[in-house]
């Protein structure tokens, strides 16, 4: 069955510290991979996406993600977290022109 | 480019009434539009997929007679919640694929509260 797993429901990091949010997927084929961020009461903002090619993807706001086929993972990273990064982060997978499946989300809290 | 709007952003309606939510692709034509529902502090759940000019495909467990979806043009899809009940209160988000497929572009969401 197709699924997306974000193992961490809530993560707290100190401002300036590095961040890694985990995402694993189970799909019949290599899907397209996305990371979105959502602030409270707001819609989704695309951080980055992977379709093919270089497995290290750069996104907006200093985020990057690495696709590892052998581990079926697409973890999101940021070297230095800012207080404004506090939000909910969703990993999503999809097939071309098809619906997307979202992970349960990881809530990021940033300590001063 | 690739902007999707939703209207209204917030709506409050009485139990038993119907409410329509619009989803528009502003600067591109969308062959496929998707409707998601998000419960508080939860992830997005796909409700249905609609292709312009054809009937929507609903996910298992989603009542098609309650959540009416119309995709009459390449830039507009509507979701009508019929005979709304308090348990229908939620955040509804639409998205759209461009003509080339691939990435979905998300609207800002509509907060529905049924009293």
């Amino acid at each position: 069955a197709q699924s997306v797993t974000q193992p961490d429901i809530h993560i707290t990091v100190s401002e300036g510290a590095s961040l890694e949010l985990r995402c694993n997927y189970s799909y019949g084929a290599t899907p397209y991979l996305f990371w979105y961020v959502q602030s409270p009461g707001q819609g989704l903002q695309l951080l980055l996406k992977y379709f093919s090619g270089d497995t290290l993807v750069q996104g907006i706001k200093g985020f990057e993600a690495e696709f590892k086929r052998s581990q079926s993972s697409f973890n999101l990273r940021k070297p230095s977290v800012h207080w404004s990064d506090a939000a909910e982060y969703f990993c999503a997978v999809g097939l071309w022109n098809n619906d997307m499946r979202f992970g349960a989300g990881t809530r990021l809290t940033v300590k001063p | 480019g690739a902007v999707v709007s939703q209207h209204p952003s917030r709506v409050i309606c009485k139990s038993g009434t119907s409410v329509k939510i619009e989803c528009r692709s502003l600067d591109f034509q969308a062959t496929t539009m998707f409707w998601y529902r998000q419960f508080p502090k939860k992830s997005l759940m796909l409700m249905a997929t609609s292709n312009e000019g054809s009937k929507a495909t609903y996910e298992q467990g989603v009542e098609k007679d309650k959540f009416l979806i119309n995709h009459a043009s390449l830039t507009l899809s509507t979701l009508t919640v019929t005979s709304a009940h308090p348990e229908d209160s939620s955040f509804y988000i639409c998205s759209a694929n461009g003509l080339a497929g691939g990435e979905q572009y998300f609207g800002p969401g509509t907060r529905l509260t049924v009293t």
Side-chain angles (χ1 to χ4, degrees):
Chain A
Q2 302 165 344
S3 67
V4 184
T5 303
Q6 292 181 247
D8 305 304
I9 296 173
H10 183 205
I11 284 183
T12 299
V13 300
S14 297
E15 190 168 15
S18 64
L19 171 71
E20 182 169 30
L21 302 182
R22 295 182 290 165
C23 174
N24 292 93
Y25 66 89
S26 174
Y27 252 70
T30 298
Y32 300 103
L33 300 159
F34 307 85
W35 274 99
Y36 290 89
V37 61
Q38 184 181 37
S39 297
Q42 302 296 312
L44 299 176
Q45 181 180 24
L46 178 67
L47 288 175
L48 46 79
K49 61 191 177 190
Y50 173 78
F51 283 2
S52 66
D54 193 346
T55 56
L56 184 62
V57 181
Q58 301 298 321
I60 62 171
K61 303 185 178 187
F63 285 93
E64 67 176 27
E66 186 172 12
F67 169 57
K68 293 186 177 179
R69 186 189 305 272
S70 61
Q71 299 176 17
S72 296
S73 69
F74 189 56
N75 295 347
L76 180 71
R77 301 194 293 250
K78 186 170 184 177
S80 178
V81 168
H82 188 262
W83 64 266
S84 61
D85 293 324
E88 189 86 20
Y89 290 80
F90 293 99
C91 177
V93 301
L95 297 175
W96 188 259
N97 213 24
N98 207 334
D99 60 84
M100 295 174 68
R101 302 290 166 171
F102 285 81
T106 298
R107 183 160 60 93
L108 174 65
T109 298
V110 180
K111 291 191 303 185
Chain B
V3 177
V4 175
S5 71
Q6 281 185 242
H7 178 80
S9 57
R10 288 178 173 270
V11 58
I12 300 173
C13 70
K14 291 185 185 289
S15 188
T17 63
S18 296
V19 61
K20 181 185 287 188
I21 302 169
E22 291 185 349
C23 176
R24 292 183 185 271
S25 56
L26 297 185
D27 50 3
F28 67 101
Q29 292 182 316
T31 51
T32 307
M33 288 184 166
F34 305 86
W35 286 96
Y36 296 85
R37 181 173 180 176
Q38 186 178 30
F39 292 97
K41 300 187 188 299
K42 297 291 185 185
S43 187
L44 280 75
M45 273 181 17
L46 180 67
M47 299 174 67
T49 303
S50 73
N51 291 294
E52 184 263 338
S54 60
K55 288 185 180 179
T57 302
Y58 290 81
E59 293 296 299
Q60 193 171 12
V62 178
E63 298 175 63
K64 62 181 180 182
D65 294 330
K66 179 166 190 61
F67 298 100
L68 301 179
I69 292 173
N70 183 274
H71 191 162
S73 77
L74 284 172
T75 60
L76 173 64
S77 176
T78 60
L79 167 68
T80 302
V81 183
T82 62
S83 188
H85 289 281
E87 56 265 33
D88 298 324
S89 299
S90 197
F91 194 52
Y92 292 88
I93 302 177
C94 74
S95 69
N97 260 343
L99 289 178
E103 179 182 347
Q104 292 181 27
Y105 303 99
F106 285 83
T110 297
R111 171 76 57 196
L112 170 63
T113 303
V114 184
T115 60

